[in-house]
Amino acid sequence: MNINQKFLDNGFMYFKNVISAEEVSVLRDHLLEFFKKHQKNHMFTREFLSIEEVSKVPFLQSVHEKVSEVIGSYQVIPFYSLTYNLHSPVWHRDSQSLLNSTQFIYNQGFQVSKCGIYLQDDTLMWGGGLEIIPKSHKPGFLGYKF
């Protein structure tokens, strides 16, 4: 397996414009329709897969190319989570969404990585960007702990 050294060092990679502005606009329209109709701000796998335009995003060629650039060959685990207009005043650990799988997080053979696709620009108009502290998503002193 050929894993990008920057990813190994920092625990994350960040790419801009993986999905075109036009595609993002279409996705946002479908998602806004869903959230308004169901009057909630979160969806999981079953709901995610029920919207064709949304469910194909993890399989777009542009997404595949970037994921491959970071971790080489991979398999998609069908666990999806999408949030609309969420502001959390507390820090969180992304590994929590792996549920009981976190018991294996330090096992050498347990190599799972999450891919986030943000459908907004990194501007003040859209609330700013995602802040990630280098190495904070890795096990150890700065990273997550049980």
Side-chain angles (χ1 to χ4, degrees):
M1 181 177 288
N2 184 21
I3 300 177
N4 185 295
Q5 191 60 47
K6 185 175 178 184
F7 177 69
L8 291 174
D9 291 344
N10 290 322
F12 70 94
M13 295 279 293
Y14 175 75
F15 297 100
K16 292 182 177 183
N17 303 317
V18 175
I19 301 173
S20 74
E22 294 80 19
E23 290 172 303
V24 168
S25 183
V26 169
L27 289 169
R28 288 177 64 90
D29 288 344
H30 284 287
L31 292 168
L32 287 171
E33 180 182 316
F34 171 87
F35 289 123
K36 285 179 184 177
K37 178 180 177 183
H38 296 283
Q39 297 182 352
K40 58 186 189 175
N41 71 345
H42 205 91
M43 73 166 56
F44 290 101
T45 304
R46 184 179 306 235
E47 296 159 323
F48 182 92
L49 294 174
S50 73
I51 306 171
E52 181 180 346
E53 293 79 4
V54 175
S55 65
K56 69 181 181 181
V57 171
F59 305 99
L60 293 173
Q61 183 65 30
S62 57
V63 172
H64 168 72
E65 288 171 0
K66 293 301 177 186
V67 173
S68 296
E69 184 179 324
V70 175
I71 61 175
S73 63
Y74 66 94
Q75 293 180 357
V76 174
I77 299 172
F79 179 82
Y80 302 102
S81 172
L82 196 141
T83 304
Y84 166 70
N85 198 25
L86 178 70
H87 173 73
S88 175
V90 297
W91 289 99
H92 69 279
R93 295 176 291 174
D94 291 326
S95 61
Q96 288 174 326
S97 64
L98 292 173
L99 304 172
N100 293 332
S101 298
T102 56
Q103 64 184 315
F104 303 110
I105 204 110
Y106 293 104
N107 185 320
Q108 183 66 25
F110 185 74
Q111 296 183 351
V112 173
S113 183
K114 292 172 65 174
C115 176
I117 300 174
Y118 297 87
L119 303 176
Q120 67 187 50
D121 285 333
D122 181 15
T123 65
L124 290 177
M125 177 182 157
W126 289 104
L130 178 67
E131 294 179 358
I132 302 175
I133 300 168
K135 298 182 176 42
S136 67
H137 284 63
K138 295 175 56 98
F141 177 68
L142 290 174
Y144 48 81
K145 294 180 174 65
F146 290 114

